[in-house]
Amino acid sequence: MTLTCTVEDHEDSSLQWSNPAQQTLYFGEKRALRDNRIQLVKSTKNELSISISNVALSDEGEYTCSIFTMPVRTAKAMVTVLGVPQEPQITGYDKPIKENQEAELRCTTSGSKPAANIRWYKGPEELGGARNSETKDANGKTFTVVSFINFPVTKVDDQVEITCTVGHESMPNTFKSSSQKLQVLYHPSAKIESRPNLPREGDRLQLQCDAYGNPEPVKYTWLRKHGELPTTVVTDHNSLVFQNLNKSDSGTYMCQVANLMGEYTAEYKLDVNGTYLTHEAKGSDDAPDADTAIINAEGGQGGSDDKKEYFI
């Protein structure tokens, strides 16, 4: 901060700067107050300029420039000091939130003058509905601002960043911010995929159950609807393996997965028909039911062994 005082008719007298407490800072080029933050910039008969570094709130007030002519002439300069807000702090989040419950967070910043402005963001999207309150700090000049936000969470909010951003006129075109990454607990889901997708009778088939959830499902149970699993299949955690497919393996197979939020069952229908396999998968929101049918026909002219395949 620089204070400059000029005069046209100096009448052979020196200029003087005084602080709000009426203490003389400089009289001409002579320092009057021992404060190394205050330095002389320029001193002539017509001008006196001084600078104040590391400006503090206590420097706020009315400064006086005087020239001791007859009569004494003075000019006033009002200095307003802005309080720069401290880095915001987010509190209220101490454990994962269950899906469909509400997150309740609080953001606090102190030391602003005037009171700072706080905004909330979920990812790049600004959140509305925040409730802000401000109180004066112990020095009686700056403010502490507290902002409360609450919003419902779903599984898509898992690992999303919630950001509290502080804006203030003491920081033009810049912001101070703090972020908190959310953890959302949600129910499991699953889908079953076959490897290969269309095996032949007699081939090896692996059904793999891919499950999602938070926490990650660790319990997988394979079942066969309306019956027992074939004795020839092998279960390995999330896989069900048929070493040698045959018609007796036809049926609907279920993969049950669970985490502490609940259970989910995915279904997969096998129809081993002739030399090809048809299947239908169910149980996944993002995997629509799929049907494949292949008809094998035997016959031909003169008892030929030619086979025709019709794809529907």
Side-chain angles (χ1 to χ4, degrees):
M1 178 180 70
T2 300
L3 298 173
T4 299
C5 181
T6 59
V7 63
E8 291 185 1
D9 182 13
H10 57 79
E11 298 182 22
D12 204 27
S13 180
S14 296
L15 292 164
Q16 172 185 291
W17 270 113
S18 301
N19 66 14
Q22 295 304 309
Q23 297 170 308
T24 300
L25 303 178
Y26 269 88
F27 182 71
E29 62 182 15
K30 295 181 180 179
R31 179 195 296 271
L33 187 67
R34 291 184 178 179
D35 187 339
N36 291 331
R37 298 180 307 124
I38 305 173
Q39 297 292 327
L40 179 65
V41 176
K42 184 177 181 181
S43 176
T44 67
K45 289 295 186 180
N46 299 95
E47 179 182 336
L48 178 61
S49 295
I50 62 174
S51 66
I52 304 177
S53 60
N54 300 321
V55 177
L57 290 169
S58 58
D59 294 320
E60 186 172 81
E62 189 176 66
Y63 288 74
T64 303
C65 176
S66 306
I67 186 165
F68 295 94
T69 56
M70 293 297 292
V72 175
R73 289 174 285 167
T74 61
K76 306 289 186 178
M78 177 58 70
V79 173
T80 300
V81 179
L82 301 177
V84 181
Q86 297 177 4
E87 294 286 342
Q89 300 293 325
I90 295 178
T91 55
Y93 176 86
D94 55 2
K95 61 182 179 180
I97 306 169
K98 294 182 179 180
E99 64 177 334
N100 302 322
Q101 291 188 347
E102 283 207 341
E104 297 181 357
L105 302 176
R106 178 176 61 194
C107 181
T108 305
T109 180
S110 301
S112 59
K113 178 180 175 290
N117 177 48
I118 293 179
R119 292 184 176 181
W120 289 92
Y121 294 87
K122 183 169 73 170
E125 175 188 355
E126 184 171 359
L127 290 170
R131 307 177 307 281
N132 295 348
S133 65
E134 56 189 55
T135 57
K136 274 196 172 182
D137 295 329
N139 58 27
K141 295 184 178 181
T142 60
F143 292 85
T144 291
V145 182
V146 181
S147 182
F148 298 88
I149 191 77
N150 60 285
F151 53 92
V153 298
T154 65
K155 66 180 181 180
V156 298
D157 295 321
D158 188 39
Q159 301 302 311
V160 74
E161 277 199 339
I162 305 299
T163 302
C164 163
T165 298
V166 175
H168 195 257
E169 58 189 275
S170 65
M171 308 179 300
N173 304 318
T174 61
F175 300 92
K176 291 184 176 181
S177 63
S178 178
S179 295
Q180 175 67 64
K181 186 175 288 187
L182 293 184
Q183 281 189 293
V184 180
L185 303 178
Y186 55 90
H187 286 71
S189 60
K191 63 180 180 180
I192 301 174
E193 294 185 349
S194 65
R195 299 179 179 178
N197 187 37
L198 290 174
R200 296 173 181 270
E201 183 180 12
D203 283 353
R204 179 184 185 274
L205 172 67
Q206 176 181 329
L207 298 183
Q208 180 164 313
C209 182
D210 295 320
Y212 310 90
N214 191 21
E216 182 179 351
V218 294
K219 180 183 178 183
Y220 292 79
T221 304
W222 285 98
L223 300 169
R224 186 180 189 180
K225 189 178 275 189
H226 309 308
E228 300 290 331
L229 288 176
T231 57
T232 56
V233 300
V234 177
T235 59
D236 181 15
H237 189 50
N238 66 335
S239 295
L240 185 68
V241 179
F242 299 80
Q243 298 292 351
N244 189 355
L245 272 176
N246 59 64
K247 293 181 180 180
S248 64
D249 293 327
S250 296
T252 299
Y253 294 86
M254 300 180 296
C255 172
Q256 291 183 346
V257 297
N259 65 9
L260 60 84
M261 294 293 293
E263 294 183 347
Y264 185 89
T265 300
E267 292 186 358
Y268 195 96
K269 184 178 180 180
L270 289 179
D271 185 7
V272 184
N273 183 12
T275 60
Y276 286 91
L277 168 76
T278 66
H279 69 264
E280 180 180 343
K282 294 183 179 180
S284 174
D285 295 336
D286 58 357
D289 294 349
D291 291 303
T292 301
I294 300 175
I295 300 175
N296 294 309
E298 296 185 2
Q301 297 294 328
S304 171
D305 292 331
D306 293 342
K307 294 183 179 180
K308 297 181 180 179
E309 297 178 351
Y310 296 85
F311 296 85
I312 299 176

